[in-house]
Amino acid sequence: MVNDIAFHKLDIPYRGCLFHVSYFIRLGSDETLLYLHGLGSSKSDFSGASDIEALRHCTLVAFDWPGCGDTNYCEEINLGIDDLVEITSKLIASLGLDVSTIIGHSLGGLTGLLFAGKYEGRLRRFINIEGNLAPEDCFLSRDVAQYRFDEFVKDAFLDKLKQQLTQSPSKGVRIFADKFRGEVFDLAFWRYCSSIVDYSDHYDLIHRFAKLAIPKLFIYGSMNSHLSYLQILEREGIRIVEVPHSSHWPLYDNPSFVYQTLAEFLSITTGCKKQDVNSN
């Protein structure tokens, strides 16, 4: 037990494999918030939420994707984003959760978007922290996806990436560099990247995001203020928030600002109905 967080494993059978999904839960009397982590990260990214006074009444849940953190991987099946959507659904059902809000970062943001679209009506709101919405978001995954897996391993891509990112002037990038080699299996990383690129290139994710009939929020780091679609999101009536002094990893760079933003969004959207989506 750390900060009232309880860590568990849940067996989830899926496509002929058994995944021992590692998750944490901090029980509360109010709404349930489910965090979906990014590629090369884990559930631990969201553990700081348990220290936030404004979230003290919320039930907090986060889990590790297969091949990430403390969840095993199954080499026999090629898991992509659609599979992560279904594994998320199975976890929610197995735990008997009434999830009001999904908060997804990067890979988790893309998965959360597809979950919200497929299971319309199960969520009250969706918070996207730099989840993929366009081809330009594949700043890392595209480099990985161009490899065959044997070449990817032979070239020691992830080790070279770690060395490169460790030299970054950004605190968040350096934290990611220090963590990610121990957070993900190489094969899982490579396969997820291919799926991320496919969705970012060939599906109209911005339109899918805009048409979600629930209040939604897009959070991005100030170092990515150049993203070409930010004005499109604003025109679509989507609330966007820039995190000061932040890279692609706002929860590493400026966690207090991110958690404050989450709490404020929860507060102003409590009781919102679907038709309120453009006035959030």
Side-chain angles (χ1 to χ4, degrees), residues 26-41:
R26 197 286 303 276
L27 295 174
S29 58
D30 205 341
E31 300 188 50
T32 297
L33 315 182
L34 174 64
Y35 179 77
L36 306 179
H37 69 78
L39 184 62
S41 298

Side-chain angles (χ1 to χ4, degrees), residues 4 25-32 55-60:
D4 296 325
I25 187 165
R26 197 286 303 276
L27 295 174
S29 58
D30 205 341
E31 300 188 50
T32 297
L55 301 176
R56 69 188 185 282
H57 295 307
C58 295
T59 292
L60 308 176

Side-chain angles (χ1 to χ4, degrees), residues 222-234:
S222 58
M223 295 176 191
N224 291 324
S225 60
H226 60 273
L227 290 170
S228 66
Y229 51 76
L230 294 177
Q231 291 184 342
I232 297 175
L233 300 183
E234 281 193 301

Side-chain angles (χ1 to χ4, degrees), residues 232-253:
I232 297 175
L233 300 183
E234 281 193 301
R235 287 199 300 270
E236 292 288 345
I238 298 170
R239 184 179 297 271
I240 65 172
V241 172
E242 179 178 297
V243 181
H245 315 297
S246 177
S247 63
H248 177 68
W249 291 274
L251 277 172
Y252 296 163
D253 284 306

Side-chain angles (χ1 to χ4, degrees), residues 111-130:
T111 305
L113 169 60
L114 299 184
F115 180 94
K118 182 171 184 178
Y119 295 105
E120 186 176 5
R122 288 174 61 174
L123 298 177
R124 299 189 189 101
R125 62 182 75 77
F126 172 51
I127 300 172
N128 187 335
I129 305 176
E130 288 212 17

Side-chain angles (χ1 to χ4, degrees), residues 157-168 177 180-181:
F157 181 94
L158 292 181
D159 293 324
K160 292 178 181 177
L161 177 66
K162 175 182 175 68
Q163 184 176 15
Q164 174 189 344
L165 296 182
T166 300
Q167 308 304 316
S168 172
F180 84 92
R181 285 304 281 129

